[in-house]
């Protein structure tokens, strides 16, 4: 049963996560457009009027304003509040797994980066290098300070395994299908993710990512939302696989999914 203090902490983390999600909405829109993510402040893209501070409360403001601009009535995309909710729930979930420690902060930052990458890749089929660089810097700091249970050697091997596998798959796919199936942005992202995860979790993440990608692609083909010639962003699937792996990792650097599978094999 959750205590009053834990409920208070979870509420604060939910609010914090929603606020980060609100910022990520700005990042997702402005980074691909090469716009400043700080100036100008939040405003309606239709009438250009600034959004009032009381209309800029994560999640709540969308419903208070009816999802539209107070000045011109232009509807705002529901995706804004969806991203805020996703980020809020993921923040709470990470706390439930790791508690309030260094791994929570490390994987929290990684998760926020992956949320931004997911929607930018969906919209533009690109993974900006800035996110890759930020990921490397954060990981390097945490590894040097020994704030992660993963070791430097395991991190290096994980990075090589993840990126080489994606690169090899991209080369083979292009030779067979005569089209690009894996962009170099995915390979660079895989290098960072593998470094965060280590070898064992990298293998699990790749498996989950391709499983989700296959399922979604099959549903899309059957529902005729996509066809065989469609260029499908793979970044979102890598993000999903990574977040699932992170959330199922036990405190002792073991993974619940891996342990479950090994118990079945034993």
């Amino acid at each position: 049963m959750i205590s009053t203090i834990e409920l208070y902490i979870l509420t604060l983390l939910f609010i914090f996560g929603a606020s980060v999600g609100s910022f990520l909405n700005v990042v997702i829109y402005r980074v691909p457009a090469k716009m400043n993510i700080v100036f100008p402040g939040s405003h309606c893209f239709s009438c250009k009027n600034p959004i009032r501070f009381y209309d800029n409360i994560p999640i709540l403001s969308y419903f208070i304003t009816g999802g539209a601009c107070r000045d011109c009535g232009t509807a705002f995309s529901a995706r804004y509040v969806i991203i805020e909710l996703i980020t809020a729930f993921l923040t709470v979930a990470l706390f439930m797994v790791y508690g309030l420690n260094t791994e929570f902060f490390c994987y929290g930052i990684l998760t926020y980066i992956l949320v931004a990458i997911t929607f930018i890749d969906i919209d533009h089929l690109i993974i900006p290098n800035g996110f890759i660089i930020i990921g490397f810097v954060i990981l390097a700091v945490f590894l040097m300070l020994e704030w992660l249970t993963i070791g430097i050697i395991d991190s290096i091997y994980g990075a090589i395994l993840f990126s080489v596998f994606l690169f090899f798959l991209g080369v083979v796919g292009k030779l067979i299908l005569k089209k690009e199936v894996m962009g170099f942005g995915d390979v660079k992202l895989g290098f960072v993710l593998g470094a965060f995860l280590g070898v064992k979790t990298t293998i699990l993440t790749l498996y989950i990512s391709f499983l989700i990608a296959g399922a979604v692609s099959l549903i899309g083909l059957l529902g005729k939302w996509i066809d065989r010639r469609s260029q499908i962003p793979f970044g979102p699937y890598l993000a999903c696989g990574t977040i699932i792996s992170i959330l199922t990792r036990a405190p002792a650097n073991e993974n619940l999914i891996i342990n479950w599978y090994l118990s079945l094999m034993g």
Side-chain angles (χ1 to χ4, degrees), residues 2-14:
I2 299 177
S3 67
T4 303
I5 295 178
E6 288 174 327
L7 183 60
Y8 178 70
I9 293 173
L10 291 175
T11 302
L12 288 178
L13 287 171
F14 186 89

Side-chain angles (χ1 to χ4, degrees), residues 29-158:
Y29 180 83
R30 296 190 184 189
V31 167
K34 301 187 184 305
M35 297 170 60
N36 190 299
I37 62 174
V38 179
F39 302 104
S42 298
H43 60 278
C44 174
F45 292 109
S46 181
C47 67
K48 308 303 180 184
N49 285 325
I51 296 176
R52 300 163 179 81
F53 74 91
Y54 51 81
D55 286 338
N56 211 18
I57 303 171
I59 301 174
L60 292 179
S61 290
Y62 182 85
F63 297 101
I64 292 172
T65 61
C69 174
R70 283 187 188 272
D71 297 304
C72 67
T74 299
F76 297 136
S77 172
R79 197 173 82 170
Y80 291 123
V81 72
I82 291 173
I83 290 174
E84 290 168 356
L85 283 168
I86 289 172
T87 312
F89 280 117
L90 286 176
T91 302
V92 171
L94 284 167
F95 171 76
M96 297 294 287
V97 173
Y98 294 98
L100 207 59
N101 58 23
T102 54
E103 288 196 301
F104 165 79
F105 289 106
C106 181
Y107 292 128
I109 295 171
L110 175 61
T111 297
Y112 300 150
I113 291 173
L114 289 176
V115 170
I117 285 175
T118 292
F119 289 95
I120 290 176
D121 202 15
I122 289 173
D123 291 340
H124 304 282
L125 295 174
I126 60 171
I127 298 176
N129 288 328
F131 294 115
I132 306 298
I133 295 171
I134 292 172
F136 267 126
V137 171
I138 296 299
L139 178 64
V141 170
F142 276 75
L143 282 176
M144 286 189 295
L145 294 174
E146 297 183 347
W147 284 352
L148 293 175
T149 53
I150 183 176
I152 294 178
I153 300 301
D154 193 23
S155 176
I156 294 173
Y157 287 160

Side-chain angles (χ1 to χ4, degrees), residues 22-23 26 57 75 118 187 192 203 213:
S22 181
F23 174 70
V26 175
I57 303 171
T118 292
V187 176
V192 175
I203 295 171

